[in-house]
Each structure stands twice: as structure tokens, then as C-alpha cells.
């Protein structure tokens, strides 16, 4: 028995329908994964750029702010889910101290400078929106 599609001239037998559906789903998965990876990279780079802009800077030049990087940490091999990490390459020890404050030698505390959390929340929202778009537009 054969089933014919009138719109695009494609015909398929009932016996081959399962394989055809599996192939189409596989192509869709590859396209979604590719678009999510592209979106992830863009969102991670935007996050690193935003942290460079909003991080505290010293009058000496702001080396802490300049050290933010975005790097692909997984998904480099076929079949792995892509993941990107935003981190401070040279001054990673300062991130927690600046974000949350710390004790001083005289018994006081420094004030917290919230610069990571707002960017983190924005990156999460941007990533969720990018994934939704990738899923919706994968077949286009």
C-alpha cells in the first residue's frame, strides 16, 4: 500500500513510514542542536561583554573587568550537548569577594558589589528565549 502526498509530490509506502518519520525527526534534532549551539555562543559572549561593562573598575585600569571570558566547555565532540561557561580568567578569586563582600582585618565588612547576579539572570532569560526560538524556527 502506498500513501501519496498531493502537495509536494512525495510518496511513501506504509511499511517505510516509520523510517521516514525517524529520519525527519533526526534531521530536526540536528537542526535544533545546531541553532541552540549558535544561540548559546551568542548569549555567552553577550554575558561576558555585559560583565566587562558592569564589573567594578579600579582607577588603575580595571583589569578585573577586562578579564571576563566566555568559553565552550562541552559539546566539542559529536553527540555532546553544547555548554558555555562565563568566567573571570585572571581574577577568579575576586568574584565571590566582590559579589558578596568579605571580612576586613579590623573586624568590619566590605560592601557587596552585585555585578554578577543581574547579568546571570539576564543571560538565563536570553538563553531560554533563544532555545524557544531555535525550536520554533528549526525547520525554516
Amino acid at each position: 500500500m502506498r500513501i501519496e502526498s498531493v502537495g509536494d509530490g512525495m510518496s511513501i509506502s506504509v511499511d517505510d513510514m516509520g523510517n521516514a518519520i525517524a529520519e525527519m525527526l533526526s534531521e530536526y534534532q540536528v537542526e535544533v542542536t545546531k541553532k541552540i549551539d549558535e544561540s548559546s555562543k551568542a548569549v555567552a559572549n553577550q554575558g561576558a561583554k555585559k560583565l566587562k561593562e558592569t564589573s567594578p573598575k579600579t582607577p588603575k585600569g580595571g583589569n578585573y573587568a577586562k578579564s571576563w571570558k566566555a568559553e565552550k566547555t562541552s559539546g566539542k565532540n559529536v553527540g555532546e550537548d553544547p555548554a558555555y561557561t562565563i568566567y573571570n580568567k585572571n581574577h577568579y578569586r575576586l568574584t565571590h569577594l566582590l559579589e558578596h563582600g568579605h571580612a576586613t582585618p579590623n573586624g568590619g565588612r566590605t560592601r557587596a558589589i552585585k555585578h554578577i547576579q543581574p547579568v546571570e539572570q539576564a543571560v538565563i532569560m536570553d538563553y531560554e528565549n533563544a532555545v524557544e526560538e531555535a525550536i520554533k524556527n528549526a525547520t525554516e
Side-chain angles (χ1 to χ4, degrees):
M1 176 183 279
R2 295 188 74 72
I3 297 177
E4 294 189 21
S5 174
V6 179
D8 61 3
M10 188 173 111
S11 67
I12 189 166
S13 71
V14 173
D15 296 335
D16 294 332
M17 188 173 296
N19 291 337
I21 291 172
E23 184 179 328
M24 291 173 69
L25 288 174
S26 178
E27 291 172 8
Y28 177 76
Q29 177 190 4
V30 167
E31 190 65 28
V32 167
T33 302
K34 188 170 93 176
K35 287 182 182 256
I36 287 175
D37 187 32
E38 292 168 359
S39 300
S40 298
K41 182 177 182 178
V43 169
N45 287 334
Q46 287 174 331
K49 182 179 177 185
K50 186 72 170 172
L51 280 166
K52 287 178 182 182
E53 294 169 0
T54 61
S55 291
K57 296 171 185 69
T58 62
K60 296 179 185 178
N63 290 331
Y64 171 77
K66 292 176 185 176
S67 294
W68 288 103
K69 307 285 182 218
E71 183 178 310
K72 190 172 192 175
T73 53
S74 72
K76 296 175 183 177
N77 298 321
V78 175
E80 289 183 344
D81 291 332
Y84 289 82
T85 300
I86 302 170
Y87 65 101
N88 194 300
K89 183 175 181 178
N90 299 325
H91 303 283
Y92 54 89
R93 295 172 198 87
L94 291 177
T95 57
H96 182 83
L97 299 174
L98 290 170
E99 184 77 5
H100 300 287
H102 60 89
T104 61
N106 64 4
R109 287 201 59 83
T110 62
R111 70 179 177 85
I113 304 171
K114 294 286 185 191
H115 61 289
I116 299 171
Q117 185 181 20
V119 174
E120 176 189 18
Q121 296 304 317
V123 165
I124 290 170
M125 288 180 58
D126 291 347
Y127 178 73
E128 289 173 353
N129 292 336
V131 168
E132 286 178 13
E133 284 296 314
I135 292 169
K136 287 178 185 175
N137 299 329
T139 57
E140 294 179 0

